Amino acid sequence: MKKYKIAVIHGDGIGPEVMEATLYVLNNLGLNFEFIPVEAGLNAWKKYKNPLPEETIDIIRKTDACLKGPTQTPPGPETFKSPTVTLRKLFDLYANIRPFKSRPGVPSIHKNVNMIIVRENTEELYSGIEYSIGENSIAIRVITKKACERIARFAFNLAKKEGYKKVTIVHKANVLKVTDGLFRSICFEVAKEYPDIITEEMIVDSAAMKIVMNPSDFNVIVTTNLYGDILSDVAAGITGGLGLAPSANIGDKYAIFEAVHGSAPDIAGKGIANPSALILSSAMMLKYLGEEKIGKMIENAIDSVLSEGKYLTKDLGGNTKTMEFAKAVVEKLNKL
Ligand code: ATP
């Protein structure tokens, strides 16, 4: 049986709790994993004065994929740069894939939502080029042709592979004529290679409103880094909240899988966090590793637990604890 070497970042806040639940599920699949714990985030900063120690990077390089819990980066210039952003750049994980689905049994504003946000993950305002000039400050918004081209191609390929009909290019090219203008025009260039897929464009503010009002109109959204980040939380909000939103950071050579949510310090240490987002992220990891069938089984098991409504975590109106939820998922998996 093939052995998968997986680097595991437990992370901060609820990270270790949702990771324990996720590893419990993964360890009950009958697959051969070697999980290698590595440190990153606020806890690593407190211990080593480095939020992303060299050893962590070295170990990650030797693995097949990384499963990452949320890491906390306190705001303000006096702290450190987000290790999540650093890892995305270091491993050139240019595509951030965030699927949003309304799930059976989950109270949500809308039903029939099934969309994927494909967010450029390495540049734009996240390039981290910021200066103070006297009492003022400036950030450089970098958009390159290469990054636009590969994220657009990734989005259209994904739409084709997953059988989605439409790709929506989201930008603000009416105001940011040079930077978003480039993103827009390159996306339309790439779209010509995919005549079977409908291409539309939308200004980001309008897209935010339409995601709230008519989310089932969307299939695949392709957008730049900051817009993708913000629209993701909007999409999570209308499909049951952050506790259910998984994501993948994918490059040509490596991939990191993590929940969309952050470290949720407000509920950390109580054992009440919803582990679904990270468990679903691990299902995306299995698909990436070629274990499509088992990845789909995990998704089905989660849907089955949620639709029964017996084991729901606090964010979904229940009082099931994090590990109890994971156990319910494994019980379902054993019956599938
Ligand atoms: P960070 O600074 O790490 O981004 P944050 O609290 O600002 O943390 P999130 O962690 O994304 O941002 O949390 C936003 C809200 O969603 C919080 O109220 C949090 O409790 C809730 N939340 C996030 N993830 C989960 C989860 N897995 N289960 C339940 N509630 C969650």
Side-chain angles (χ1 to χ4, degrees):
M1 191 190 284
K2 190 168 178 220
K3 183 175 182 176
Y4 298 112
K5 280 176 95 169
I6 309 295
V8 174
I9 297 173
H10 284 78
D12 303 311
I14 58 169
E17 299 162 54
V18 291
M19 186 58 81
E20 188 193 349
T22 303
L23 295 183
Y24 178 78
V25 173
L26 293 178
N27 278 322
N28 276 282
L29 295 172
L31 291 172
N32 188 5
F33 287 114
E34 182 186 353
F35 295 115
I36 308 168
V38 288
E39 293 180 280
L42 185 60
N43 286 327
W45 166 258
K46 284 180 186 160
K47 243 163 113 179
Y48 311 111
K49 278 279 159 246
N50 183 354
L52 190 60
E54 275 305 314
E55 198 194 347
T56 294
I57 298 167
D58 288 346
I59 292 175
I60 289 179
R61 279 190 209 289
K62 293 178 195 137
T63 55
D64 297 308
C66 172
L67 190 59
K68 182 182 166 298
T71 48
Q72 195 185 353
T73 307
E78 64 283 356
T79 64
F80 50 87
K81 278 192 177 169
S82 157
T84 310
V85 175
T86 309
L87 280 169
R88 288 169 183 168
K89 280 197 220 150
L90 205 60
F91 289 90
D92 203 18
L93 309 177
Y94 59 88
N96 190 193
I97 312 305
R98 298 179 158 193
F100 297 95
K101 285 185 187 164
S102 35
R103 298 198 171 268
V106 173
S108 64
I109 302 169
H110 289 281
K111 302 283 167 222
N112 304 320
V113 180
N114 182 4
M115 68 170 162
I116 305 184
I117 297 182
V118 177
R119 162 192 176 197
E120 201 292 319
N121 215 17
T122 54
E123 57 180 33
E124 201 228 13
L125 279 168
Y126 288 70
S127 300
I129 311 168
E130 290 190 295
Y131 305 100
S132 290
I133 304 174
E135 61 185 5
N136 304 312
S137 54
I138 185 167
I140 309 255
R141 187 166 187 265
V142 179
I143 303 259
T144 64
K145 181 169 180 256
K146 179 185 163 197
C148 296
E149 244 171 43
R150 63 184 186 175
I151 198 65
R153 198 157 278 118
F154 194 101
F156 280 94
N157 278 338
L158 185 71
K160 197 170 156 185
K161 182 171 158 253
E162 304 277 333
Y164 287 96
K165 285 197 202 104
K166 187 168 70 177
V167 172
T168 308
I169 304 163
V170 172
H171 59 76
K172 186 82 185 174
N174 53 336
V175 175
L176 298 165
K177 289 173 185 288
V178 178
T179 46
D180 274 11
L182 177 66
F183 178 77
R184 174 184 179 274
S185 65
I186 301 280
C187 285
F188 273 112
E189 267 311 300
V190 171
K192 287 183 193 156
E193 297 167 28
Y194 301 84
D196 297 338
I197 292 172
I198 301 163
T199 305
E200 65 172 16
E201 64 178 315
M202 208 172 280
I203 302 294
V204 62
D205 35 334
S206 169
M209 185 190 71
K210 287 194 176 144
I211 290 174
V212 172
M213 295 188 72
N214 306 310
S216 52
D217 286 355
F218 290 95
N219 289 170
V220 173
I221 288 177
V222 62
T223 191
T224 56
N225 209 335
L226 182 62
Y227 304 154
D229 196 10
I230 297 168
L231 292 182
S232 298
D233 275 28
V234 178
I238 52 119
T239 47
L242 283 169
L244 294 169
S247 86
N249 302 280
I250 299 188
D252 291 332
K253 295 196 185 114
Y254 195 73
I256 297 182
F257 299 83
E258 61 184 340
V260 169
H261 64 73
S263 61
D266 54 338
I267 56 164
K270 297 180 181 162
I272 59 168
N274 185 348
S276 300
L278 191 60
I279 298 174
L280 288 166
S281 306
S282 76
M284 292 176 83
M285 179 180 82
L286 288 174
K287 290 180 185 174
Y288 169 82
L289 293 171
E291 300 286 353
E292 286 269 344
K293 214 171 125 201
I294 300 183
K296 189 69 201 149
M297 273 169 60
I298 293 180
E299 218 184 302
N300 290 343
I302 288 202
D303 278 345
S304 177
V305 172
L306 293 174
S307 65
E308 262 180 25
K310 204 167 134 200
Y311 298 100
L312 294 180
T313 43
K314 193 156 183 274
D315 55 317
L316 301 179
N319 51 24
T320 297
K321 296 273 195 173
T322 309
M323 277 310 288
E324 276 167 13
F325 185 88
K327 284 177 185 159
V329 172
V330 168
E331 241 174 70
K332 281 284 172 227
L333 276 168
N334 291 338
K335 286 187 195 145
L336 284 176

